[in-house]
Amino acid sequence: MVTTTPPGRPESPGAQHPPLVFTDPGGRQHSAPARFGPPAHRDAALPLRARRVLLGRREVQCVQVFLSRADAAHPAARALLDTEAGTALHLARALEGTPYPYLFPSVLGYELDAPEPFLLYAAPRGRPVGHTQVTSAADHRVFARDLALALCLLDGEGLVPRGVSPATVHWDGTALQLWGLEGTARVGRPRSPWGRAPYCSPEQRRGEGHVDARDAVWSAAQVLYQVVTGRAGPADRAPEDLARHRALAGALPRAFAPAAAGRPTPAALLELLAPEDARRLLPVAAGAARTRHEAFDRTLEAKRRASEALAGDPAGGADGAAGAEAAPGDVLCPYCLEEIRLDLSHLYVTDDRNQYQPLDLSGITNPVRRDDAMRAAVQRCAADPAFPDHYIPVPYLTHGRPLTVAMIGQSSAGKSHLLTQMIAEITDGGLKRYGVDWQSVNPEQHARFVRERVQPLRSGKVLAHTERLHEFAQFVESLLLTDAHGRVRPVAFFDLGGEDLVRTDEALRFLLGVDALVFVVDPVLALPLPQLDALRSHLRVEVDRDGDTAFDTVLDRLPRKGPYLETPAVMVLGKADLLRFQPPVDRWLEEGPAAAIGPDQFLAESADVHALLHRHAGQAWLRPFDTFRRCTLHVASATGGRESGGRYPAGARPRRVLEPLVSLLAMHGIIEAPGGAASFGVGREAQ
């Protein structure tokens, strides 16, 4: 049985512990002495533990919910604590200034990237109703009203409490407090089995369909039935004696419907139980959201007008080399920007010392062996004799015009980790849902990339900065992508740091041939939010209100023929795990990948990220969005948490790393988008 009552008394005053360091809900860091009681599991089936804490010199009574060091090594356990923290913090912000915070635990602080991550709450009010009694009819009415109010407030935020039970609902004789927030899920997500009968709904217990606010109505009805009758109800139907209990007969029969569609919504349940409170509980006004997105909407409307003008101009949309097709058989070399075609007399392979050795195909007559040898070969590009030696994988030259993708941003932005996880998601089959498959361009190079970058990062190792061996841009990795129609296109990925772009003109020259750009925003440098202050102090950096110099260098170099640059681009708020409890990042980090591309794909996310940057970072950080006609904005986390001692304690857990590339591939037509590639990123109206 789940319990939210922390065990034991704090230890004696003589016990010595390091100060407890935590971040409050406003993002400010604190340090205070603390004395701890003995820990115990809140639920034998879950890793989360709880213990009493006397905090500070005044020894304020608190409760710490935490993971042991061993449990914290498991991503699933950390995800539970993250869910509870995110829900508690979200509710604290949403209900601030309303009469309703009393319905939920009061969070005092958190530290979720520590070896033993934790949440700190004010002491619970009352006791779980599984351990006490709600006796009078008047108490039953207040209890039922408070429980329905809590469900309505959560539903208003798109959240469903899956853990409602007599063990998680507290009662102090005057008011209710709902715990069990680790089981919260967002409306519309696929259901997974959670909870115990009879308190979890039948479909929730089976993990069928999608999360619905009416799942919690079943749970609330079961709790109300037990409070009134003193016994649990059936696990799959309405109790047979509802009609005998006046407090239940009018409101609850439909709440026990076997399927969510047959139950009342939380708002309808509140209307039945306490109509006067239902009328006072007004929905959150939509005006704030409209105001928040005004700047985004204005910019997008201007882009739509430009798109309409381009639609009537046959020459529109061409942007230098990036928009022009090479002649048949010719490919633009991504290094020297000269045209190159396959030349069998200039092929090489690498030996066991990673040195290039000439490849002679004259003795290979078997076509299967010959094709296999060519797939592992590279060709020396001699298009510009004055340019330093550089080599191109042969498959890059034999599958039509390549697509070059460049990562742009400061070295601190986490571009290398993001790109590594992006490629790893592709090779895990992440693009198959969009009808796109992959193959390595060069098997040996790909195996080395996986061995040296993907595997260490996935095991939790922090990747070293990419070593710069040349004065020009170099491949990080390249893949062959096959679209839903069987068309194959090479895609090459490049990682350009700010120091590359200001150090040499060759890196800037490379940009003239780039087909797609990924601008990675470092939140530590961009956002003056208090929860990032401690990290800034540790890294000895400050907020830069003037934007990323790497962004400016790129934008100033690219040629422009009209009001916008036509190269497809995306902006990514990287390291989003640092802001995983900050709206709107908290919402988008939890979003799963779309099953298919829609006409307005990524526009809602773009509007939210734009609003966050516009409000806190300033317009300088949004310059790429203002400059490129087709540009979407995203949140992504390559690692899922902060590093500690050169490692990520729970391993690197990527979140939404593939979505920026999905957007770019849709803009290039590799992924089919409603309205066509030319309008993707500017919305339905541009079709």
Side-chain angles (χ1 to χ4, degrees):
M1 178 65 70
V2 181
T3 177
T4 54
T5 302
R9 294 176 55 83
E11 57 201 9
S12 66
Q16 297 295 317
H17 287 279
L20 190 66
V21 179
F22 60 92
T23 301
D24 68 24
R28 294 167 181 81
Q29 196 170 77
H30 301 268
S31 176
R35 291 198 290 125
F36 300 92
H41 284 285
R42 296 195 301 180
D43 181 336
L46 298 177
L48 299 175
R49 306 182 186 202
R51 59 187 171 190
R52 294 186 185 275
V53 179
L54 295 180
L55 184 67
R57 301 191 184 282
R58 297 184 180 181
E59 296 198 329
V60 176
Q61 293 191 33
C62 309
V63 172
Q64 186 189 52
V65 176
F66 71 102
L67 291 171
S68 69
R69 187 180 294 262
D71 287 330
H74 300 285
R78 282 187 176 260
L80 279 178
L81 190 59
D82 265 16
T83 296
E84 181 165 350
T87 304
L89 292 166
H90 184 104
L91 290 171
R93 286 188 296 263
L95 301 181
E96 186 177 8
T98 74
Y100 305 116
Y102 75 93
L103 292 168
F104 302 99
S106 177
V107 62
L108 302 178
Y110 60 93
E111 177 49 73
L112 300 177
D113 290 316
E116 289 193 347
F118 66 87
L119 267 171
L120 201 62
Y121 289 113
R125 284 191 299 99
R127 297 182 63 202
V129 295
H131 299 168
T132 187
Q133 290 183 337
V134 185
T135 55
S136 70
D139 285 349
H140 290 161
R141 286 194 295 271
V142 174
F143 182 91
R145 178 206 65 190
D146 279 3
L147 186 52
L149 271 171
L151 300 192
C152 282
L153 292 165
L154 285 160
D155 188 29
E157 302 300 319
L159 301 172
V160 179
R162 299 185 299 163
V164 177
S165 77
T168 60
V169 179
H170 283 225
W171 176 252
D172 66 358
T174 60
L176 174 147
Q177 191 176 54
L178 180 62
W179 287 71
L181 301 181
E182 74 280 356
T184 306
R186 287 195 176 270
V187 173
R189 297 289 169 78
R191 286 193 185 98
S192 58
W194 185 273
R196 292 185 175 91
Y199 306 105
C200 61
S201 67
E203 62 270 65
Q204 181 178 302
R205 187 169 65 252
R206 295 190 298 265
E208 298 172 351
H210 293 82
V211 174
D212 190 302
R214 293 167 291 187
D215 297 346
V217 170
W218 170 284
S219 304
Q222 288 282 6
V223 170
L224 290 173
Y225 179 79
Q226 179 159 330
V227 163
V228 171
T229 67
R231 59 182 180 274
D236 56 357
R237 64 188 185 278
E240 295 179 356
D241 61 345
L242 276 183
R244 302 177 198 167
H245 302 282
R246 185 177 176 183
L248 306 175
L252 294 190
R254 287 181 55 231
F256 289 102
R263 300 174 204 137
T265 64
L269 181 64
L270 181 62
E271 180 70 34
L272 288 169
L273 294 169
E276 67 286 355
D277 290 282
R279 288 190 288 271
R280 285 197 294 265
L281 189 64
L282 299 176
V284 177
R290 286 197 297 269
T291 302
R292 194 165 61 243
H293 293 157
E294 277 181 358
F296 175 82
D297 292 339
R298 285 195 302 269
T299 305
L300 200 64
E301 181 57 34
K303 293 183 178 186
R304 286 167 176 160
R305 290 195 296 269
S307 297
E308 291 169 0
L310 282 174
D313 179 7
D319 187 24
E325 289 291 341
D330 291 339
V331 166
L332 195 69
C333 173
Y335 297 134
C336 66
L337 302 183
E338 298 292 341
E339 290 183 355
I340 178 177
R341 65 172 57 199
L342 182 64
D343 184 347
L344 299 182
S345 65
H346 286 79
L347 301 189
Y348 295 81
V349 291
T350 54
D351 58 21
D352 54 5
R353 294 177 299 171
N354 208 30
Q355 300 297 311
Y356 288 115
Q357 301 296 336
L359 173 64
D360 183 5
L361 294 173
S362 60
I364 305 177
T365 57
N366 183 304
V368 175
R369 288 184 55 204
R370 185 183 179 89
D371 289 345
D372 185 63
M374 290 180 64
R375 185 170 176 234
V378 296
Q379 176 174 321
R380 181 178 178 274
C381 177
D384 183 353
F387 202 81
D389 284 350
H390 53 290
Y391 299 82
I392 313 298
V394 167
Y396 193 82
L397 304 173
T398 57
H399 290 87
R401 187 180 186 279
L403 174 71
T404 54
V405 180
M407 310 285 290
I408 309 295
Q410 297 284 351
S411 295
S412 64
K415 301 187 311 303
S416 297
H417 290 78
L418 177 61
L419 181 54
T420 298
Q421 295 284 36
M422 187 182 290
I423 294 171
E425 291 276 306
I426 297 172
T427 58
D428 280 348
L431 293 177
K432 284 188 176 181
R433 60 175 52 89
Y434 308 111
V436 176
D437 211 342
W438 75 279
Q439 189 178 22
S440 64
V441 167
N442 183 290
E444 183 180 342
Q445 290 179 357
H446 178 70
R448 185 165 59 248
F449 178 82
V450 171
R451 183 174 61 252
E452 295 178 357
R453 303 196 67 79
V454 174
Q455 292 175 350
L457 180 56
R458 284 186 163 179
S459 70
K461 183 179 179 181
V462 177
L463 298 181
H465 287 297
T466 304
E467 185 179 359
R468 308 295 176 187
L469 301 176
H470 299 277
E471 294 298 306
F472 55 89
Q474 283 202 306
F475 280 125
V476 172
E477 172 66 305
S478 52
L479 301 171
L480 297 175
L481 297 187
T482 304
D483 68 13
H485 300 284
R487 296 171 298 201
V488 180
R489 190 165 184 188
V491 180
F493 298 91
F494 295 79
D495 182 0
L496 296 181
E499 67 277 11
D500 297 301
L501 298 171
V502 299
R503 183 181 62 184
T504 170
D505 192 62
E506 295 296 350
L508 285 172
R509 184 186 179 201
F510 156 81
L511 292 169
L512 301 178
V514 165
D515 301 295
L517 293 142
V518 180
F519 293 89
V520 183
V521 176
D522 185 346
V524 178
L525 300 180
L527 297 171
L529 296 171
Q531 59 262 49
L532 300 175
D533 286 345
L535 184 56
R536 275 188 281 268
S537 177
H538 174 71
L539 297 174
R540 298 181 181 179
V541 298
E542 296 180 353
V543 172
D544 191 341
R545 301 294 297 183
D546 296 324
D548 190 324
T549 55
F551 293 5
D552 292 338
T553 304
V554 170
L555 298 178
D556 291 341
R557 180 59 181 259
L558 293 174
R560 188 186 312 193
K561 295 182 179 180
Y564 298 102
L565 290 171
E566 288 300 320
T567 307
V570 296
M571 292 185 67
V572 182
L573 180 62
K575 302 180 184 175
D577 53 276
L578 299 175
L579 301 168
R580 60 189 183 274
F581 306 123
Q582 172 75 36
V585 177
D586 56 352
R587 171 195 171 187
W588 290 108
L589 267 187
E590 293 182 7
E591 285 289 323
I597 293 294
D600 293 322
Q601 195 74 31
F602 303 126
L603 286 189
E605 182 180 7
S606 295
D608 280 347
V609 178
H610 185 280
L612 179 69
L613 294 175
H614 185 266
R615 177 183 178 187
H616 295 289
Q619 204 62 36
W621 283 93
L622 284 164
R623 194 179 169 203
F625 178 75
D626 294 336
T627 304
F628 291 90
R629 183 177 64 88
R630 291 181 294 160
C631 180
T632 54
L633 296 92
H634 307 261
V635 299
S637 171
T639 61
R642 285 179 56 182
E643 66 171 281
S644 177
R647 296 193 62 82
Y648 299 100
R653 296 166 289 149
R655 299 168 78 174
R656 292 188 68 79
V657 296
L658 198 53
E659 278 67 19
L661 182 62
V662 169
S663 181
L664 291 175
L665 295 178
M667 294 184 207
H668 275 280
I670 295 175
I671 292 176
E672 292 187 353
S679 68
F680 191 86
V682 289
R684 190 188 304 269
E685 289 84 346
Q687 294 180 30

